[in-house]
Amino acid sequence: YRNNFSIHETLLTFDMRGDYSVQPNVAASWEWESPTALIVKLKSGLIFHDGTEMTAEDVAFSFGPERLSTQDAPGYATYLANFTSLDRVEVIDPLTVRFVTKYEDPILLQRLASYPAVVIPKAAFLATDWTEWRQKPIGLGPYKVESYVVNENVVLAAHDQAMRGAPNASRVTFR
């Protein structure tokens, strides 16, 4: 958890320096289509740590059954704690998704701004197993995992193509 915001970006974010309102982050904008359908437009040109560009497919996968919403998914506990209202995420076009909930969820936007609402690259996640992924996840955040030694440290290297530009420090070590 303590490394999450260094490595990943969430779909939405909270204005922590202002009124704590929900603001765009990976998403450029959103609009309620109905009480149970949220249309989210994504920012273009966002680059994951592996050099691939983020698409709606990645967003749908990040909240989908293989990663999150089925009992065999590695993120199932996260789903149970945060996203049980979510029915599915549909790709509308390369930069637009529709979040469909099972019932009206008055805090869905806040859920999409919380730390479990990270966007990951579908292809990279599917190309590895969960044990390897959790030791070296790929995200959109300002830092990418350079190395990880269990119970010792995590070394993060700057992601020069991060959404808000290259971070100030070229390397960070969490001990």
Side-chain angles (χ1 to χ4, degrees), residues 24-135:
N25 197 38
V26 170
S29 64
W30 64 86
E31 178 181 353
W32 287 99
E33 184 178 54
S34 76
T36 60
L38 178 70
I39 304 293
V40 177
K41 300 277 187 184
L42 305 169
K43 292 179 179 175
S44 64
L46 299 184
I47 305 298
F48 287 110
H49 300 153
D50 65 356
T52 61
E53 189 169 342
M54 182 203 71
T55 69
E57 288 288 338
D58 298 308
V59 173
F61 177 80
S62 296
F63 294 91
E66 290 173 282
R67 178 177 174 259
L68 200 65
S69 62
T70 58
Q71 286 185 325
D72 295 337
Y76 189 62
T78 298
Y79 169 78
L80 291 175
N82 298 280
F83 294 109
T84 55
S85 67
L86 187 60
D87 183 42
R88 65 190 179 280
V89 181
E90 303 168 344
V91 174
I92 296 173
D93 65 42
L95 291 174
T96 310
V97 293
R98 177 184 293 112
F99 283 80
V100 179
T101 58
K102 299 171 192 166
Y103 48 84
E104 195 170 340
D105 183 348
I107 62 167
L108 180 62
L109 295 178
Q110 287 81 357
R111 294 180 199 282
L112 296 175
S114 66
Y115 80 91
V118 299
V119 177
I120 63 167
K122 177 181 178 178
F125 187 88
L126 292 176
T128 188
D129 66 28
W130 175 239
T131 301
E132 185 179 334
W133 176 268
R134 52 185 250 200
Q135 291 178 353

